[in-house]
């Protein structure tokens, strides 16, 4: 789901006043007024209110502050008067009473700056006679850095009181400043990196009980990991960071041990022993390694430790948890062996690959390794990898763009379309999806006529004028909205598109759940949000309306929002990714774009929000380690790339709950088998009326009913994350449940081979 033009405009209203930020005026000439010190840090107030921070060397200057209210808009300070004050604990601090312009006399801004060992705490209090916006900025100048400033969102792991899986919550954001000999970290409770400029740092304030808008930031010195610096900044007793030196914690060869780095920091004020413990499990729950050690850390001290997880001998994933005191962290370590893709696949990524971490080259390699054939949103100037670079990787750049303005004049629509088409032509896109999910309210049938009149038709006319042969898609619909599609067809939109696009957003239904539209229930938890039923209805409409349109699922989903009955568990998501891909292939879908590559959102990169589903659609975790879903996606691209669908398997003579798909591949027949004895509803035992549902751990098999079937021969079983198991003999017992499994070695008539176990 791309950021709309409206989103950018709204954001720019806050950033507009700071884009040309003014550096502290006259600070080079101002005299020293007051100095406060602590171990490893010196803070000096100049007579004009500028704050100079160093550690024996001048490092950073903090100058003006900017606030915004509903009447006066953005207003910045113009210097200030420093004074020395005493805090309630007896420490001295610097106070700055800032000067506002004559036009902003109803606004006051006061700064308070105090120090502890290697840390500055800054607080800005603002008042206005008008309502104030929470978004403010402070001016900072970094002196002679060796690396550009960069932001890092920091999270904290939490145990679920209800017994579900642990989850992350936001724990601030850091901006790292780097010199040859040390680092410093601005720690803020909340900040938007895209609203931070070279001169001004965005900071979010909160109103206190007296109506004062308070902003707080800490600046920590030392060579620390960002997570450790965060713990030191907030004075947490123990901070913990876990990482590997391998991009995405992902190895492209089997048989290598997987070393993991751990950093523990004491953020408190006393020396105390800390127990460091860890375990790693595989997808079956088998413990791969575990251990513990005791560390003794002085206040502010950090130490590094190494954990080595044994090698995986085939494609797979290990789940690691490390704990130090009350702090703990989780990540995954994965193995995805090389594969020689033949090209021309049908599976891509829906959103921009926008987070180019650890590097653009690493992201490009990952896209190739998991078989991404297309990127839905790629144009010059957009976040992520430019179209020409994607093409060089063998990945097709498509474009979803535009925000149709309903009820615009014909002239406005024509101008808008011309500007949009310029971007499309420049991107050399093969497919162009005009706008996104404009069928709201769902199933209302509203606005299809306006979408055609004010958006789609002007775009199609302009494409014809410039001679573009890009294939045009309607805006990808949220769900298979039959009422909107009927209105779209009745108003002449069907003949304007080459491709019908929709987003089969799936709730707690297995992907093969296929109710017909007369059975759909709308609403946020309605059966309208199903996969296979929507795909089949889309195919029916394409046949009915004609024109030989392609069918693209420009956003497909497996959301892993933790401990919610409506969303997949981590294990279910992997199973459903693979089954979704196989069903799309079986139903003759032309293209599928998975939404999306990473957890978190483009406006809040690598932040956490356990309650918001938008933060949990990725194939990768927030820390960029692989979910099992990523391995499932790669398994699907590999086994289905050259597969041709043959038929659904009728296994009712063995068991009426068994289902299967048969594909033909260059290696012979490929069967996918599963059971629905446990039904089509996931997390079906949730408590009515409550969204909360304690998810089991990812390594726990939660399908209660197993069906045994037997067959003889030489069979290879492939599970949802691509692990292979070879079975031979005259009587092989296969266990089928709700998880889809692939089988090579069965004939083209597996229903005649398989017998009840």
């Amino acid at each position: 789901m791309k950021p709309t033009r409206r989103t950018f405009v709204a954001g720019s209203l806050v950033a507009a006043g700071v884009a040309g930020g003014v550096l502290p005026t006259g600070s080079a000439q101002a005299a020293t007024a007051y100095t406060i010190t602590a171990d490893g840090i010196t803070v000096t107030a100049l007579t004009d209110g500028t704050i100079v921070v160093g550690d024996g060397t001048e490092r950073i200057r903090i100058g003006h502050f900017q606030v915004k209210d509903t009447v006066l808009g953005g207003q910045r300070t113009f210097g200030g008067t420093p004074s020395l004050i005493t805090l309630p604990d007896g420490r001295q601090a610097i106070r700055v009473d800032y000067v506002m312009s004559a036009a902003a006399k109803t606004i006051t801004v006061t700064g308070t700056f105090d120090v502890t060992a290697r840390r500055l705490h800054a607080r800005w209090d603002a008042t206005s006679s008008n309502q104030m916006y929470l978004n403010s900025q402070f001016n900072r100048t970094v002196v002679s850095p060796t690396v550009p400033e960069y932001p890092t969102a920091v999270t904290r792991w939490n145990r679920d009181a209800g017994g579900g899986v642990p989850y992350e919550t936001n724990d601030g954001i850091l901006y790292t400043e780097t010199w040859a000999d040390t680092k410093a970290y601005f720690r803020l409770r909340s900040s938007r990196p895209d609203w931070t400029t070279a001169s001004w740092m965005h900071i979010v304030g909160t109103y206190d009980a007296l109506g004062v808008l308070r902003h707080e930031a800490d600046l920590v010195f030392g060579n620390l990991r960002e997570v450790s610096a965060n713990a030191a900044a907030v004075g947490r007793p123990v901070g913990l960071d876990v990482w590997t030196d391998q991009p995405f914690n992902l190895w492209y060869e089997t048989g290598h041990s997987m070393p993991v780095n751990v950093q523990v920091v004491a953020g408190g004020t006393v020396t105390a022993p800390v127990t460091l413990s860890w375990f790693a499990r595989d997808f079956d729950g088998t413990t791969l390694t575990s251990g513990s050690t005791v560390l003794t850390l002085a206040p502010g001290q950090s130490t590094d430790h190494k954990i080595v997880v044994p090698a995986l001998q085939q494609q797979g994933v290990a789940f690691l948890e490390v704990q130090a005191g009350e702090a703990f962290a989780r990540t995954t370590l994965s193995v995805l062996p090389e594969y020689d893709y033949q090209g021309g696949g049908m599976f891509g990524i829906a959103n921009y690959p926008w987070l180019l971490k650890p590097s653009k080259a690493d992201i490009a390699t990952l896209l190739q390794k998991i078989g991404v054939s297309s990127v839905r949103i790629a144009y010059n100037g957009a976040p992520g990898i430019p179209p020409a670079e994607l093409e060089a990787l063998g990945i097709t750049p498509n474009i979803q763009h535009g925000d149709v303005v309903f009820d615009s004049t014909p002239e406005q629509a024509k101008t808008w379309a011309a500007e949009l088409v310029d971007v499309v032509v420049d991107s050399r896109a093969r497919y162009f999806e005009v706008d996104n999910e404009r069928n709201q309210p769902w199933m209302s049938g509203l606005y299809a006529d306006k979408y055609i009149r004010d958006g789609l038709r002007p775009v199609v006319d302009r494409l014809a004028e410039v001679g573009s042969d890009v294939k045009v898609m309607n805006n990808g619909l949220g769900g298979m909205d039959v009422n909107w599609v009927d209105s779209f067809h009745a108003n002449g939109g069907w003949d304007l598109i080459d491709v019908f696009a929709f987003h089969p957003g799936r709730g707690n239904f297995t992907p093969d759940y296929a109710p017909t539209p007369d059975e759909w229930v709308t609403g946020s938890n309605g059966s309208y949000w199903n996969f296979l039923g929507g795909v089949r209805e889309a195919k029916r409409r394409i046949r009915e309306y004609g024109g030989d349109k392609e069918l693209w699922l420009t956003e497909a989903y497996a959301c892993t929002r933790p401990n919610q009955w409506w969303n997949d568990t981590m294990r279910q998501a992997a199973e459903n990714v693979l089954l979704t891909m196989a069903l799309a292939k079986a139903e003759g879908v032309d293209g599928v774009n998975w939404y999306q590559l990473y957890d978190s959102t483009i406006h809040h990169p690598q932040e956490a929000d356990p309650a918001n589903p938008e933060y949990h659609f990725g194939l990768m975790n927030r820390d960029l380690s692989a979910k099992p879903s990523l391995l499932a996606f790669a398994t699907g691209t590999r086994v289905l790339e050259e597969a041709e669908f043959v038929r659904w398997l009728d296994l009712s003579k063995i068991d009426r709950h068994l289902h299967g798909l048969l594909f033909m591949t260059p290696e012979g027949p490929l069967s996918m088998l599963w059971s629905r004895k446990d039904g089509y509803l996931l997390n079906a035992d949730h408590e009515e009326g409550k969204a909360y549902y304690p998810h089991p751990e990812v390594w726990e098999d939660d399908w209660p009913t197993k069906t045994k079937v037997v067959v003889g021969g030489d069979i290879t079983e492939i599970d949802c994350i691509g692990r292979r198991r070879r079975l031979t003999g005259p009587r092989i017992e296969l266990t089928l449940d709700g998880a889809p499994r692939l089988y090579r070695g069965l004939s083209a008539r597996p229903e005649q081979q398989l017998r009840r176990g």
Side-chain angles (χ1 to χ4, degrees), residues 104 212 396 441 611:
V212 176
T396 300

Side-chain angles (χ1 to χ4, degrees), residues 58-86:
E58 181 180 331
R59 301 291 186 178
I60 293 169
R61 291 192 169 206
I62 300 174
H64 306 295
F65 200 82
Q66 178 171 261
V67 295
K68 184 178 182 182
D69 73 23
T70 55
V71 176
L72 298 175
Q75 298 290 332
R76 54 165 283 242
T77 64
F78 293 87
T81 302
S83 59
L84 203 61
I85 62 173
T86 301

Side-chain angles (χ1 to χ4, degrees), residues 43 54 61 67 114 333 367 388 393 399 468 566 572 653 713:
V43 174
R61 291 192 169 206
V67 295
D114 67 86
L333 314 172
L367 294 178
L393 298 170
I399 184 169
S468 173
W566 181 246
Q572 290 167 348
K653 291 183 178 179

